[in-house]
Amino acid sequence: MTPDPRDDGPVSGQDWDRAVELISAADEVALACHVSPDGDALGSTLAVGLALRAAGKRVTASFGDRSFHVPRLLRFLPGQDLLTDPAHYPAVPEVMVTFDVPTVERLGTLAGNAVRARELIVLDHHPSNTGFGTLNLIDPAAAATAVLAEELIRRLDLPIDGAIATCLYVGLVTDTGSFRHSSTTPRAHAMAARLVACGLDPEQIARELWDRSPFGYLKVLGAALERVRLEPEVGGGLVWTFVTRADRAAHGLPYDEVEGIIDVVRRTDEADVAAILKEDDEGAWQVSTRSKGGVDVSRVCAELGGGGHAKAAGFTSHLPVEETIASLRALL
């Protein structure tokens, strides 16, 4: 693959060289992304896994959810035969690489494996990353962790075929909102062009990510929109709603199917900040927030034990809906 002519950015050439050295010398490389993986987390993980396996490396990949399954929207991604249940993940990895994980806690049940790893390489683009690895390759200016994953593959001097390109492209388009977010830069578009040239199918990827949903999703979306609330006096305007376990159970809808509701709610002209509270299968509220730029929601969510980006962040709450939204409202 033709090298991308750019400087190293926040990650030094020396750190990249060290990552290549560690991975090249390892007999087995263990890869992991954050719990409830999105397209960037899982796409980056599988892309590097496929590249390493093609080069003859033994590779294990996973994510630390107690209920281990790939979200339906991402089941078209190549390379899922690399994935293993976290119970079968190496207890003391020789070299472990994490993708899109800002804190060790976001590894879920694999947090202990990371702590015990002889070498822990962290690839991430979250500004809130705590630098929990023995080697941290963190670039907050990158549009997605997939940007760093592509760079790692390039520096390992490994080829990118259509399957690897598909995984990287999914990471890139999901974290840039299909090139609508402010993270969309010339560098992001140049990367997309390189990946499309590798033979992926942009139309199929777009259909899988944004143009498919079970009928039950429409019913749950309707319930969420029925109870949506607008508070124009809060933080430049706050619009919010919630989805309960009962909403989903009534239509047989798994938790990961309700991710897209935030993108409908956030369109509200009168609100800078949008939030959706989603009750997971254990009864906790997973709160997603979005900002149009007037509020840094990563700072707000960090105060509530979460984190993310300035315009997209989240946290977990074990309080009732009204108490959870009150804590968010107070910080806004």
Side-chain angles (χ1 to χ4, degrees):
M1 182 175 179
T2 302
D4 184 18
R6 59 178 182 264
D7 60 28
D8 292 322
V11 182
S12 71
Q14 183 178 4
D15 283 345
W16 280 118
D17 290 346
R18 177 62 176 157
V20 169
E21 178 185 344
L22 290 171
I23 292 170
S24 299
D27 292 326
E28 180 179 20
V29 181
L31 312 177
C33 59
H34 62 67
V35 294
S36 302
D38 56 14
D40 189 26
L42 190 59
S44 299
T45 302
L46 294 177
V48 172
L50 285 168
L52 291 175
R53 183 171 66 179
K57 284 285 181 190
R58 286 193 295 123
V59 180
T60 300
S62 190
F63 47 90
D65 285 279
R66 295 188 183 280
S67 176
F68 181 73
H69 69 278
V70 174
R72 183 193 61 82
L73 284 175
L74 301 177
R75 289 178 190 164
F76 73 97
L77 282 175
Q80 292 184 42
D81 58 315
L82 288 165
L83 295 172
T84 185
D85 188 286
H88 305 302
Y89 198 82
V92 184
E94 178 184 359
V95 173
M96 182 171 174
V97 187
T98 68
F99 299 85
D100 209 40
V101 183
T103 67
V104 71
E105 290 79 13
R106 286 286 287 159
L107 284 165
T109 61
L110 294 178
N113 307 67
V115 170
R116 292 187 296 269
R118 294 188 179 94
E119 295 286 353
L120 180 62
I121 303 172
V122 172
L123 265 73
D124 191 23
H125 71 132
H126 289 94
S128 59
N129 193 289
T130 59
F132 60 92
T134 58
L135 180 61
N136 299 292
L137 309 178
I138 302 166
D139 182 359
T145 295
V147 174
L148 294 157
E150 186 208 27
E151 181 70 3
L152 178 62
I153 294 170
R154 182 181 76 83
R155 287 180 179 264
L156 286 163
D157 200 25
L158 301 177
I160 294 180
D161 60 16
I164 296 169
T166 294
C167 293
L168 292 170
Y169 186 81
V170 166
L172 184 63
V173 296
T174 52
D175 257 33
T176 59
S178 193
F179 305 108
R180 292 175 297 165
H181 297 166
S182 59
S183 58
T184 303
T185 60
R187 181 182 177 190
H189 279 299
M191 176 176 169
R194 290 194 300 274
L195 297 176
V196 172
C198 292
L200 60 83
D201 186 341
E203 181 182 10
Q204 179 195 7
I205 291 171
R207 186 186 312 118
E208 293 287 352
L209 291 174
W210 296 295
D211 295 337
R212 294 183 57 195
S213 63
F215 179 71
Y217 170 78
L218 299 179
K219 305 294 283 187
V220 173
L221 173 63
L225 295 180
E226 184 68 26
R227 59 174 73 108
V228 71
R229 289 176 55 182
L230 174 65
E231 302 183 24
E233 73 283 359
V234 177
L238 169 66
V239 60
W240 65 276
T241 189
F242 62 94
V243 173
T244 67
R245 279 187 294 180
D247 292 334
R248 295 189 290 105
H251 303 286
L253 203 66
Y255 170 80
D256 54 57
E257 292 285 356
V258 299
E259 286 297 313
I261 294 178
I262 186 71
D263 293 317
V264 179
V265 175
R266 71 194 297 261
R267 296 174 59 183
T268 305
D269 285 338
E270 298 86 348
D272 181 72
V273 176
I276 178 169
L277 289 70
K278 302 159 291 183
E279 189 178 16
D280 65 23
D281 293 336
E282 284 72 46
W285 292 100
Q286 304 298 334
V287 185
S288 296
T289 67
R290 298 291 186 271
S291 169
K292 293 173 183 172
V295 174
D296 182 345
V297 288
S298 70
R299 294 180 61 189
V300 173
C301 291
E303 288 289 328
L304 297 169
H309 301 281
K311 295 182 180 180
F315 65 95
T316 299
S317 173
H318 297 280
L319 300 173
V321 167
E322 289 296 339
E323 292 182 42
T324 298
I325 205 68
S327 64
L328 179 64
R329 185 187 294 120
L331 289 169
L332 290 172

